[in-house]
Amino acid sequence: VVKREVVQLITPGTVMDGKMIDEKENNFIGAVHDFEDGTVALARIDLTTGESVASLLTDDPKDWTRELAGTSVKEVVVCREAPERILEEIKKLGITVSYEDNTGVDQAFHSLCRHVQQDKIIQTYARLTNYLSSTQRRSLDHLQAVEIFNPNNHMQIDVFSKRNLELTETIREKTKKGSLLWLLDKTVTAMGGRLLKRWIEQPLLEKDSIKERHSLVSSWLENFFAREDVRDKLKEVYDLERLCGKVAYGNVNARELVQLKRSLLQVPGIIEIISSLNNEYASKQIESVDMCSPLVDLLEKSLVDEPPISIKEGGMIKDGYHEQLDEYKHASRNGKEWISSLEKKEKERTGIKSLKIGYNKVFGYYIEVTKANIPYLEEGLYERKQTLTNAERFITPELKEKEALILEATENIEQLEYDLFLDIRERVKDYLAPLQQLAKIISEIDVLQGFAVLSEEQNYVMPAFSENRKVVIREGRHPVVEQMIERGEYVANDVTMDKECEMLLITGPNMAGKSTYMRQLALLSIMAQVGCYVPAAKAELPLFDQVFTRIGAADDLAAGQSTFMVEMLETHHALSKATENSLILLDEIGRGTSTYDGMALAQAIIEHIHNNIGAKTLFSTHYHELTALDQNLPRMKNVHVSAMEEDGEVVFLHKVIPGQADRSYGIYVAKLASLPDSVIERAEVILKELEGGQSFVKTRSLE
Amino acid sequence: VVKREVVQLITPGTVMDGKMIDEKENNFIGAVHDFEDGTVALARIDLTTGESVASLLTDDPKDWTRELAGTSVKEVVVCREAPERILEEIKKLGITVSYEDNTGVDQAFHSLCRHVQQDKIIQTYARLTNYLSSTQRRSLDHLQAVEIFNPNNHMQIDVFSKRNLELTETIREKTKKGSLLWLLDKTVTAMGGRLLKRWIEQPLLEKDSIKERHSLVSSWLENFFAREDVRDKLKEVYDLERLCGKVAYGNVNARELVQLKRSLLQVPGIIEIISSLNNEYASKQIESVDMCSPLVDLLEKSLVDEPPISIKEGGMIKDGYHEQLDEYKHASRNGKEWISSLEKKEKERTGIKSLKIGYNKVFGYYIEVTKANIPYLEEGLYERKQTLTNAERFITPELKEKEALILEATENIEQLEYDLFLDIRERVKDYLAPLQQLAKIISEIDVLQGFAVLSEEQNYVMPAFSENRKVVIREGRHPVVEQMIERGEYVANDVTMDKECEMLLITGPNMAGKSTYMRQLALLSIMAQVGCYVPAAKAELPLFDQVFTRIGAADDLAAGQSTFMVEMLETHHALSKATENSLILLDEIGRGTSTYDGMALAQAIIEHIHNNIGAKTLFSTHYHELTALDQNLPRMKNVHVSAMEEDGEVVFLHKVIPGQADRSYGIYVAKLASLPDSVIERAEVILKELEGGQSFVKTRSLE
């Protein structure tokens, strides 16, 4: 039995490369600990990029799981005594659980959390770094200082709503394609792609920061050629963040260091373009940038332009970089030249035109002569080594002597190049901090130029933020649905809300776009607070602190929760957390229970939000009876999606206009779906009688 | 530029092994062609197992896509002029499309479709085999004669319903775990697993065939020890079907042929156990079985017990199988013995205890002596080959001579073993037909013993089939949900329907199990017609020709279909195809539109099914108003899921009992979800007034 020492454990949160990680997505490992005072500390590190983030949250699972689920955490470290309810929430998210009990800060990581005040965060971060030290057993020099993330400084969107709004993946196929992230992603670098995802998960709340982003989008929009230039240059920039991780880990190869050099060569040009924009915010960003010129020089003079992937087989170091190495290379080249000249000499000497010199792994260099030509060989000079069907292979003492020289030189070259490479790699480590800073700047530039590209392509406008909670959207479009429909076919819609109108009750036929209209407002708000322009002719929005949605259905039969229970749980969450600065979308609440039950609940919920919360709310319903509520609720207005009857056919106009809908056109949809004519006719009769005030319609007699 | 000839195209439908194929699932490639007379022919072949199946269907997409979607088809071959509507349906299923225009039957495949009558099927099958010939360019000897599949001989379940009922994967996670297949799969072999999946996709309609399966389940149940014995033996049986595919393809290796031998060695034991059951059906099956004894003998005497995976490095063939090979082996062994004795001799001669003989790929065999000991070597005898830091390596002429002998013998052995192996492999091809027949019998035995294992574990009973469309289920359970709940907690339910009661209208609170109750009847019927026992104390069922379901919601926003449109499309499908021998499950039809619209449609649909179709129907609804229909529809009965109020708390009893529910408890669910007390109280007030006949409740005045 061979006893092996564990060198390194590779777990879902500590994978460094290969197919398991997505280049446009962070790969975080986290640590979670719930303290007795009702707080939960959360720390996370992306080993591939060195980012470290930590938060102190409440122990409401909605609160801390939102941060876990929203940030691509693949593994969570907890203490061995972690309570079952914490473990269950983690497992529900499909995240691997690992254990570490040591929460003492190791000397090596002291400087990374020196600035942190809260002891609970320090303990939790230490738990995480201790786990990494014991499983990774190698340098973690690329870890960056802990950044404290306070969710209250960001727009909060719970896990349900992120899913419902399809921010980073679609509900049905769970793919990026079709999500908001997919639409907004016009980034050129992998780093930019990762930053964009983070931004979408955490839109800003602070107006000045948002306006800084908008201003840079605006600069890029105005300077088309600068933008095209910077995109071209960004295409040559490699993933600096993950490269830093590999350097620290000691598994970077020569080819990647050459890519690093090529990336750095782009930096001066990029900086120049940015300065030329004369954008105040951007200029501040690049003020103190370190272009790492000495590093570029070192890599330029030491590494060849296209080194091999392996670092153990030589071929990496340039001529002139190291004297001893040059000597070895000279010996090897000489030997090989001698052997190739030998073939010519031997052909002449023997007169055998088909004679050739070859090499194989078993016998080394040999001279091959066809059987027919053997008699022409001088006796005694050639030693027979191998017999083939049609030829014999020979060696001579001088051939073998040169062979030994070549093999020795090759061995020496490989060893020396390897040593030299390790030295270069070690020296790159000194540049980790400036490289990471550079990566940050470049990712941000990349995301914002992408916003400009998209805004130009799709005619987006810069949103304004109102001080008095006004929503004024003119000709707004759902950014993703718009893409799925033929150009010009999409029907844009206005939204107008203010202090006199906090809530819209939306009625109208099915398939006419009620839920698209609702989602549209949420997506525009998120885009605006992420720093992007929005698809509208004009947009003025409040800064929303939270977004709540109850849209669509998600049965979970096996888990024992009926559709209606899910509906009520999500509604409860919205009612208990929303403030007057929040946005609430409720789609057909009450649909999952009996008619009167559902109508009663819907009305009670509308009244509660209207009277006690005051959040901006869009509420769609099939209970047309509820439209009468506008007589008593002053800040609620009815709107409806319009339809037109023409020659007995219904045309959906997808236009949202004031007032209540007169009918739902359910029977019309049934007709579209080709239900038998007799069923349609009968339904129309019943409907007329119901609308006439009859509470039950007797079935027709049987023939 | 190197020009390569294409040797073989590997496509999703022609993968033969590796991680891309699931051992418990078929990997079909299909061909589809729609003819002008409104028919669509479908042919499919599993290259890994050789199965060939073909059907002639209508061009209703529901019809032929059901067969495609239900049978693990990964790729479909069509003609280059195939109409867009056909291509779109195929793409919707996520299946790769390939093209082939030649529909002439190749000589090689003539015998496989000689018995087929319909020319359209022959053409389509030929299209498929022509595609295979041109992409595969190798032997397809394992293809079996085309089996004509007539869907009318089977219970038909459309794609929607298969998904809704979670027959082979769950709706949410798309995993096998949690599906009916997962529950029923107690098979031991991969072949059995594949057959089970096929059976679940295609339950039988013919009573006698079903009873044959039931009788064998019964025999396995009564003979516990025989069953355990047969399971042990089946564990040793390798995947014979896929092995035949590899043999025909010529990519089987020696290790797999040894596995084939081991599998065949189990067959006599298995046959003996089956005979001991004295089951008429099983005895007929094994009557003509060919145990392939000459093949076992051949493999036994030719191949060693643990051959390597490579077939080019020797080490496969037993001593005594081939005289020339034995001689080569003798030479090689002698050489190696000589070399190992040389070490001892050289140590003695030189007196150097640390002297050793080694081998490496560059220099071959060498004698290694530490630098300190070099002076003890006799001059002139040893030729220096390589210098290490602490030692030198030498060769001697006799060492090199023996080395050449060994290398030559090794080369000869490898070549000869390779040739002998190809010969053995060729001889295995003669047994493809009996091996495939054996595979069929074994898979069936495996599936049925698995049914017995499950039925014993879970207390299932043998279902009876009624002649007069009666449904009598006593203490029925939902087979999968039952597994998710703690033992003894599941509330069993009865179902009673007959000529006087074709339709049950189900009302009752949410979360109480209405849709579990509905699915349960469908799953029990499918299990019964697949040949399995069912979870009930007693079960009498009709033979259902089709099952239709409209359960759960599946929004498809991007595709532009609202929930309600999907609802209506599925309902339309049921109304247009169902017969009086079908089973229809409709869950809260009308929920997706406005109150009166939905109620009117629900009533019209109920009346239509009741008066014009007469299929056995379960209809659940939140429109309690509909329960009054039983006064006019003689074959409809009300049932409801009961709940009990105790000290103001509601207890769900999950018991379905006659009569209509008095309320839906929606407000109670809202309370469970912790909605604010004020909202709950207000909803109760509104509800009372609505129930009191008020059509709209004025909102309370604002304080």
Side-chain angles (χ1 to χ4, degrees):
Chain A
V1 184
V2 181
K3 215 174 145 190
R4 290 184 205 191
E5 200 203 355
V6 174
V7 173
Q8 187 191 8
L9 272 175
I10 298 188
T11 58
T14 60
V15 186
M16 283 297 283
D17 51 15
K19 285 191 182 153
M20 284 182 69
I21 60 172
D22 183 339
E23 66 161 16
K24 286 216 163 183
E25 196 171 294
N26 276 100
N27 199 68
F28 280 110
I29 177 164
V32 167
H33 193 77
D34 81 318
F35 293 91
E36 287 190 356
D37 62 353
T39 57
V40 164
L42 184 72
R44 55 194 163 84
I45 286 176
D46 183 338
L47 266 189
T48 65
T49 64
E51 288 154 278
S52 302
V53 187
S55 311
L56 197 57
L57 307 158
T58 74
D59 67 354
D60 178 349
K62 283 262 181 188
D63 203 18
W64 61 268
T65 59
R66 178 188 60 227
E67 297 309 315
L68 268 191
T71 51
S72 319
V73 173
K74 301 289 158 57
E75 179 177 2
V76 165
V77 180
V78 298
C79 74
R80 239 165 269 276
E81 262 93 50
E84 198 51 43
R85 72 197 145 76
I86 295 283
L87 298 177
E88 252 174 38
E89 293 291 340
I90 297 172
K91 280 172 194 160
K92 249 194 249 166
L93 295 170
I95 298 175
T96 306
V97 173
S98 300
Y99 298 92
E100 173 65 56
D101 284 337
N102 181 1
T103 57
V105 180
D106 188 287
Q107 192 53 40
F109 304 108
H110 185 67
S111 67
L112 300 180
C113 54
R114 191 162 39 197
H115 59 292
V116 179
Q117 311 279 330
Q118 303 101 315
D119 194 48
K120 290 175 209 155
I121 287 189
I122 297 179
Q123 278 178 39
T124 308
Y125 183 69
R127 184 187 306 284
L128 181 53
T129 51
N130 288 328
Y131 174 79
L132 291 177
S133 305
S134 67
T135 56
Q136 300 308 297
R137 305 192 180 186
R138 56 178 68 195
S139 156
L140 298 169
D141 293 347
H142 64 308
L143 294 194
Q144 305 176 35
V146 178
E147 185 190 315
I148 300 297
F149 177 80
N150 184 345
N152 294 326
N153 297 336
H154 293 260
M155 180 198 253
Q156 290 180 37
I157 316 169
D158 60 281
V159 180
F160 277 132
S161 300
K162 278 180 179 161
R163 202 180 296 147
N164 283 340
L165 293 171
E166 308 193 307
L167 291 192
T168 59
E169 59 175 32
T170 58
I171 297 175
R172 281 170 76 94
E173 284 96 9
K174 310 267 174 223
T175 53
K176 180 178 166 188
K177 179 150 195 245
S179 70
L180 182 66
L181 173 61
W182 162 78
L183 178 76
L184 296 190
D185 193 356
K186 304 282 175 187
T187 60
V188 174
T189 67
M191 299 178 282
R194 288 198 297 273
L195 183 67
L196 173 62
K197 182 156 192 245
R198 232 147 55 224
W199 280 10
I200 293 177
E201 303 269 9
Q202 301 163 348
L204 299 176
L205 253 192
E206 211 223 331
K207 192 167 157 184
D208 290 343
S209 315
I210 300 174
K211 293 317 284 178
E212 283 174 348
R213 292 185 187 170
H214 285 165
S215 84
L216 193 44
V217 174
S218 158
S219 295
W220 284 126
L221 263 172
E222 286 158 19
N223 294 276
F224 174 80
F225 293 106
R227 194 174 81 219
E228 285 302 302
D229 261 13
V230 96
R231 284 175 65 85
D232 282 345
K233 295 208 168 2
L234 286 173
K235 279 179 193 145
E236 305 294 316
V237 176
Y238 190 68
D239 194 335
L240 296 178
E241 288 180 317
R242 291 211 159 139
L243 227 143
C244 288
K246 287 186 155 193
V247 169
Y249 247 53
N251 57 1
V252 77
N253 63 33
R255 192 171 286 181
E256 288 163 324
L257 286 187
V258 170
Q259 282 165 317
L260 172 60
K261 181 193 77 182
R262 292 210 184 106
S263 306
L264 289 174
L265 284 172
Q266 300 301 326
V267 174
I270 293 174
I271 299 293
E272 198 182 323
I273 298 172
I274 295 172
S275 317
S276 76
L277 294 176
N278 286 321
N279 177 295
E280 196 183 335
Y281 170 63
S283 303
K284 206 176 61 197
Q285 292 281 84
I286 56 172
E287 218 164 57
S288 62
V289 75
D290 177 345
M291 303 195 208
C292 304
S293 323
L295 176 57
V296 177
D297 290 347
L298 168 65
L299 297 175
E300 178 62 31
K301 72 170 195 256
S302 59
L303 297 177
V304 300
D305 281 351
E306 297 195 341
I309 286 174
S310 165
I311 60 169
K312 293 202 166 156
E313 291 169 9
M316 302 178 286
I317 307 290
K318 266 192 185 159
D319 287 354
Y321 179 69
H322 192 271
E323 205 174 320
Q324 177 71 56
L325 178 62
D326 288 348
E327 278 171 28
Y328 289 147
K329 285 184 184 166
H330 186 70
S332 161
R333 280 180 207 135
N334 270 354
K336 284 181 185 161
E337 270 163 29
W338 182 90
I339 284 178
S340 74
S341 72
L342 180 67
E343 186 174 282
K344 204 174 145 220
K345 275 201 303 203
E346 288 289 331
K347 273 187 189 168
E348 281 167 11
R349 180 160 80 180
T350 58
I352 306 171
K353 282 199 181 133
S354 62
L355 175 150
K356 60 183 177 195
I357 294 191
Y359 177 84
N360 76 27
K361 286 222 159 175
V362 179
F363 298 110
Y365 288 101
Y366 55 76
I367 298 169
E368 187 175 305
V369 178
T370 56
K371 289 223 166 120
N373 286 313
I374 302 287
Y376 301 105
L377 288 180
E378 206 169 321
E379 290 273 336
L381 269 181
Y382 302 89
E383 182 187 342
R384 179 162 309 168
K385 282 303 274 187
Q386 199 185 4
T387 302
L388 309 176
T389 324
N390 291 319
E392 301 259 358
R393 290 173 175 172
F394 302 89
I395 55 172
T396 66
E398 58 178 345
L399 184 61
K400 286 292 128 176
E401 197 179 300
K402 284 288 175 188
E403 178 185 305
L405 274 179
I406 293 171
L407 291 174
E408 204 179 324
T410 305
E411 222 170 71
N412 288 334
I413 288 169
E414 289 170 0
Q415 184 61 47
L416 184 53
E417 286 216 13
Y418 180 71
D419 293 342
L420 289 171
F421 178 76
L422 293 192
D423 170 61
I424 295 165
R425 190 159 78 180
E426 212 45 40
R427 283 153 70 187
V428 178
K429 275 198 190 173
D430 298 339
Y431 295 87
L432 288 179
L435 285 173
Q436 286 170 334
Q437 197 221 344
L438 206 52
K440 276 211 174 67
I441 295 171
I442 289 177
S443 339
E444 204 172 320
I445 296 295
D446 190 15
V447 175
L448 292 172
Q449 68 74 23
F451 285 170
V453 169
L454 180 70
S455 300
E456 190 173 73
E457 257 179 37
Q458 304 290 334
N459 270 315
Y460 291 178
V461 297
M462 187 194 287
F465 293 106
S466 72
E467 298 295 336
N468 48 6
R469 309 208 288 111
K470 247 164 88 176
V471 176
V472 183
I473 292 173
R474 294 284 162 266
E475 294 175 36
R477 290 112 59 200
H478 185 300
V480 180
V481 172
E482 179 187 27
Q483 303 298 316
M484 309 293 178
I485 298 183
E486 267 187 58
R487 209 147 186 100
E489 293 285 295
Y490 190 90
V491 178
N493 264 307
D494 298 346
V495 187
T496 313
M497 299 174 89
D498 53 27
K499 270 196 276 187
E500 275 69 54
C501 170
E502 306 276 24
M503 185 183 272
L504 297 178
L505 186 72
I506 311 169
T507 46
N510 277 289
M511 294 178 65
K514 288 199 298 291
S515 52
T516 303
Y517 182 74
M518 296 172 75
R519 286 173 213 250
Q520 178 176 313
L521 177 58
L523 290 176
L524 262 62
S525 305
I526 291 168
M527 287 168 76
Q529 290 180 235
V530 159
C532 186
Y533 280 21
V534 298
K538 184 189 160 197
E540 186 181 346
L541 291 160
L543 284 162
F544 285 118
D545 64 349
Q546 299 169 85
V547 171
F548 300 93
T549 66
R550 162 57 218 174
I551 298 181
D555 263 276
D556 193 341
L557 189 75
Q561 294 194 333
S562 78
T563 316
F564 186 64
M565 186 68 190
V566 174
E567 212 169 294
M568 285 298 111
L569 284 172
E570 294 184 25
T571 306
H572 160 63
H573 178 59
L575 296 192
S576 61
K577 299 282 177 172
T579 72
E580 65 168 8
N581 294 314
S582 305
L583 174 64
I584 303 179
L585 310 180
L586 296 175
D587 192 20
E588 311 199 359
I589 288 297
R591 183 170 72 167
T593 183
S594 70
T595 324
Y596 289 157
D597 261 26
M599 214 184 284
L601 278 168
Q603 180 171 340
I605 289 165
I606 290 173
E607 289 173 0
H608 179 81
I609 297 175
H610 182 275
N611 297 341
N612 305 326
I613 302 180
K616 291 270 178 288
T617 305
L618 303 189
F619 195 109
S620 78
T621 187
H622 281 311
Y623 300 126
H624 288 192
E625 295 77 3
L626 293 176
T627 53
L629 281 174
D630 69 343
Q631 295 160 28
N632 296 77
L633 301 176
R635 293 182 301 284
M636 186 195 106
K637 298 256 179 302
N638 283 312
V639 296
H640 73 281
V641 193
S642 57
M644 206 171 67
E645 275 195 68
E646 220 174 43
D647 309 329
E649 294 290 293
V650 176
V651 181
F652 294 135
L653 300 176
H654 301 287
K655 198 83 195 170
V656 177
I657 52 180
Q660 65 204 63
D662 43 359
R663 47 186 297 205
S664 256
Y665 301 95
I667 294 178
Y668 176 70
V669 172
K671 205 190 271 179
L672 279 187
S674 319
L675 251 59
D677 289 345
S678 63
V679 171
I680 301 292
E681 283 157 24
R682 174 69 183 141
E684 276 166 351
V685 170
I686 299 174
L687 176 62
K688 276 219 183 75
E689 300 192 25
L690 285 172
E691 285 176 342
Q694 215 164 317
S695 77
F696 168 65
V697 181
K698 266 190 71 171
T699 192
R700 58 186 159 184
S701 66
L702 297 173
E703 295 84 336
Chain B
V1 184
V2 181
K3 216 173 142 188
R4 289 182 206 193
E5 199 204 356
V6 174
V7 173
Q8 186 190 9
L9 271 174
I10 298 188
T11 58
T14 60
V15 186
M16 283 297 283
D17 53 12
K19 286 189 180 157
M20 283 181 68
I21 58 170
D22 182 339
E23 65 162 15
K24 286 214 161 183
E25 197 172 293
N26 275 100
N27 200 69
F28 280 110
I29 178 165
V32 167
H33 193 76
D34 81 317
F35 293 90
E36 288 188 357
D37 62 351
T39 56
V40 165
L42 182 75
R44 54 194 162 84
I45 287 177
D46 183 336
L47 267 189
T48 65
T49 64
E51 288 154 277
S52 303
V53 187
S55 311
L56 197 56
L57 307 158
T58 75
D59 66 355
D60 178 349
K62 284 261 181 190
D63 201 19
W64 60 268
T65 60
R66 179 189 59 226
E67 295 311 315
L68 269 189
T71 49
S72 321
V73 173
K74 301 287 158 55
E75 180 178 0
V76 166
V77 180
V78 297
C79 74
R80 242 165 268 275
E81 261 93 55
E84 198 51 41
R85 70 197 146 75
I86 296 281
L87 297 176
E88 252 174 38
E89 292 290 341
I90 297 172
K91 281 173 193 158
K92 250 195 249 167
L93 296 170
I95 298 175
T96 307
V97 172
S98 300
Y99 298 92
E100 174 65 54
D101 283 338
N102 181 1
T103 58
V105 180
D106 188 288
Q107 193 52 40
F109 304 108
H110 185 67
S111 66
L112 301 181
C113 53
R114 189 163 38 198
H115 60 294
V116 179
Q117 311 281 330
Q118 303 102 316
D119 194 46
K120 293 174 209 156
I121 287 188
I122 296 177
Q123 277 178 38
T124 308
Y125 184 70
R127 184 187 304 282
L128 180 54
T129 50
N130 288 329
Y131 174 79
L132 291 176
S133 306
S134 67
T135 57
Q136 300 309 298
R137 303 188 180 190
R138 56 178 67 194
S139 154
L140 297 169
D141 293 347
H142 64 308
L143 293 193
Q144 305 177 37
V146 179
E147 187 188 314
I148 300 297
F149 176 80
N150 183 347
N152 294 327
N153 297 337
H154 294 261
M155 181 199 253
Q156 290 180 36
I157 317 170
D158 61 281
V159 181
F160 278 132
S161 301
K162 278 180 179 162
R163 201 181 295 148
N164 283 341
L165 293 171
E166 307 194 306
L167 292 192
T168 59
E169 60 176 30
T170 59
I171 297 175
R172 281 169 77 94
E173 284 96 9
K174 310 266 175 224
T175 54
K176 179 178 169 188
K177 184 159 191 238
S179 70
L180 183 66
L181 173 60
W182 161 77
L183 177 76
L184 296 191
D185 190 356
K186 304 282 176 189
T187 60
V188 174
T189 69
M191 300 179 280
R194 287 198 298 273
L195 183 67
L196 173 62
K197 183 155 189 245
R198 231 147 54 224
W199 280 11
I200 292 178
E201 304 268 11
Q202 302 163 344
L204 300 175
L205 255 189
E206 208 224 332
K207 193 166 155 182
D208 289 345
S209 314
I210 301 174
K211 294 316 285 178
E212 282 174 346
R213 292 184 186 173
H214 285 166
S215 85
L216 192 43
V217 174
S218 157
S219 294
W220 285 126
L221 263 172
E222 286 158 17
N223 294 276
F224 174 80
F225 291 106
R227 195 174 80 219
E228 285 302 302
D229 261 12
V230 95
R231 284 175 66 86
D232 281 344
K233 294 207 167 10
L234 287 173
K235 279 178 194 146
E236 305 294 317
V237 176
Y238 189 69
D239 193 335
L240 296 178
E241 287 178 319
R242 291 211 160 139
L243 226 143
C244 287
K246 288 186 153 194
V247 168
Y249 247 53
N251 58 1
V252 78
N253 63 32
R255 194 172 286 182
E256 289 163 325
L257 287 187
V258 170
Q259 284 166 316
L260 172 61
K261 181 192 78 182
R262 292 212 185 104
S263 307
L264 289 174
L265 284 172
Q266 300 300 326
V267 174
I270 293 173
I271 299 294
E272 197 181 327
I273 297 171
I274 295 172
S275 319
S276 78
L277 294 176
N278 285 321
N279 177 297
E280 197 184 335
Y281 171 63
S283 303
K284 204 176 61 199
Q285 291 283 83
I286 56 174
E287 220 164 53
S288 61
V289 76
D290 177 346
M291 302 194 209
C292 305
S293 323
L295 176 58
V296 177
D297 289 346
L298 168 65
L299 297 175
E300 177 63 29
K301 74 171 190 258
S302 60
L303 297 175
V304 300
D305 282 351
E306 299 195 341
I309 287 172
S310 165
I311 60 170
K312 292 199 167 161
E313 292 170 10
M316 302 177 286
I317 307 292
K318 265 192 187 159
D319 287 353
Y321 179 68
H322 191 271
E323 206 173 322
Q324 178 71 55
L325 179 63
D326 289 347
E327 277 170 29
Y328 290 146
K329 284 185 186 167
H330 187 69
S332 161
R333 278 179 208 135
N334 270 355
K336 285 182 185 160
E337 270 164 29
W338 182 89
I339 284 179
S340 73
S341 72
L342 180 67
E343 185 174 283
K344 206 173 145 218
K345 275 201 300 201
E346 287 289 332
K347 273 185 189 172
E348 280 167 12
R349 180 160 80 179
T350 59
I352 306 171
K353 282 197 180 139
S354 61
L355 175 149
K356 60 186 177 194
I357 293 189
Y359 176 84
N360 76 28
K361 288 221 158 175
V362 179
F363 299 109
Y365 288 100
Y366 54 78
I367 299 170
E368 185 174 307
V369 178
T370 58
K371 289 221 165 122
N373 286 314
I374 301 286
Y376 302 106
L377 288 181
E378 207 170 317
E379 289 273 338
L381 269 182
Y382 302 89
E383 181 187 346
R384 181 161 309 170
K385 280 303 273 187
Q386 196 185 6
T387 303
L388 308 178
T389 322
N390 293 316
E392 302 259 1
R393 289 175 176 172
F394 302 90
I395 55 170
T396 65
E398 60 178 344
L399 184 59
K400 287 291 127 175
E401 195 179 302
K402 284 287 175 190
E403 178 187 305
L405 274 181
I406 294 171
L407 291 175
E408 204 180 323
T410 305
E411 223 170 71
N412 288 336
I413 289 169
E414 288 170 0
Q415 185 59 47
L416 184 52
E417 287 216 9
Y418 180 71
D419 292 341
L420 289 171
F421 177 75
L422 294 191
D423 170 61
I424 294 165
R425 194 158 76 179
E426 215 42 43
R427 283 152 73 187
V428 178
K429 276 198 189 172
D430 299 339
Y431 295 88
L432 286 179
L435 285 174
Q436 286 171 333
Q437 195 221 346
L438 206 51
K440 277 214 175 67
I441 295 172
I442 288 177
S443 338
E444 202 172 322
I445 295 296
D446 190 14
V447 175
L448 292 172
Q449 68 74 23
F451 286 169
V453 169
L454 179 71
S455 301
E456 189 173 73
E457 257 177 38
Q458 305 288 336
N459 269 315
Y460 290 176
V461 296
M462 187 193 288
F465 294 106
S466 70
E467 297 297 336
N468 47 5
R469 310 204 290 111
K470 245 164 91 177
V471 176
V472 183
I473 291 173
R474 293 286 160 263
E475 296 175 34
R477 288 114 56 200
H478 185 300
V480 179
V481 172
E482 178 186 31
Q483 303 298 316
M484 309 293 178
I485 297 182
E486 269 188 57
R487 208 147 186 96
E489 294 285 296
Y490 191 90
V491 178
N493 265 307
D494 297 348
V495 187
T496 313
M497 299 174 89
D498 53 26
K499 269 195 276 188
E500 273 69 52
C501 170
E502 304 276 22
M503 184 183 277
L504 297 178
L505 186 72
I506 311 169
T507 46
N510 277 290
M511 295 177 66
K514 290 201 296 292
S515 53
T516 303
Y517 182 74
M518 295 172 74
R519 287 172 211 253
Q520 177 176 315
L521 177 57
L523 290 176
L524 260 62
S525 305
I526 291 168
M527 287 168 76
Q529 289 178 237
V530 159
C532 186
Y533 280 23
V534 298
K538 185 189 162 199
E540 187 179 348
L541 292 160
L543 284 163
F544 285 118
D545 64 349
Q546 299 169 85
V547 171
F548 300 94
T549 65
R550 162 59 218 175
I551 298 182
D555 262 276
D556 193 341
L557 189 75
Q561 292 198 332
S562 76
T563 315
F564 185 63
M565 187 67 192
V566 174
E567 213 169 293
M568 285 299 108
L569 284 172
E570 294 183 27
T571 306
H572 161 63
H573 178 60
L575 296 192
S576 62
K577 299 284 178 170
T579 72
E580 65 167 6
N581 293 316
S582 306
L583 174 63
I584 303 180
L585 310 180
L586 296 175
D587 192 21
E588 310 198 0
I589 287 296
R591 183 170 72 167
T593 183
S594 70
T595 323
Y596 289 157
D597 260 28
M599 216 184 282
L601 279 167
Q603 181 171 341
I605 289 165
I606 289 173
E607 290 174 1
H608 179 81
I609 297 175
H610 182 275
N611 297 342
N612 305 327
I613 303 180
K616 290 269 178 289
T617 305
L618 303 189
F619 194 108
S620 79
T621 188
H622 282 311
Y623 300 126
H624 289 194
E625 295 77 0
L626 294 176
T627 54
L629 282 172
D630 69 342
Q631 295 161 27
N632 296 76
L633 301 176
R635 292 183 300 284
M636 187 197 104
K637 295 258 178 304
N638 284 312
V639 295
H640 72 282
V641 193
S642 58
M644 203 172 68
E645 276 196 69
E646 217 174 44
D647 308 328
E649 295 290 293
V650 175
V651 182
F652 294 135
L653 300 177
H654 302 284
K655 200 80 194 172
V656 178
I657 51 179
Q660 66 203 67
D662 40 2
R663 48 188 293 202
S664 253
Y665 301 97
I667 297 179
Y668 177 69
V669 172
K671 204 191 270 182
L672 279 187
S674 317
L675 250 59
D677 287 346
S678 63
V679 171
I680 301 292
E681 282 159 23
R682 175 69 182 141
E684 277 167 350
V685 170
I686 300 173
L687 177 62
K688 277 220 182 74
E689 299 190 27
L690 286 172
E691 286 177 340
Q694 216 163 318
S695 78
F696 168 65
V697 180
K698 267 188 69 169
T699 192
R700 57 184 159 185
S701 65
L702 298 174
E703 292 85 337

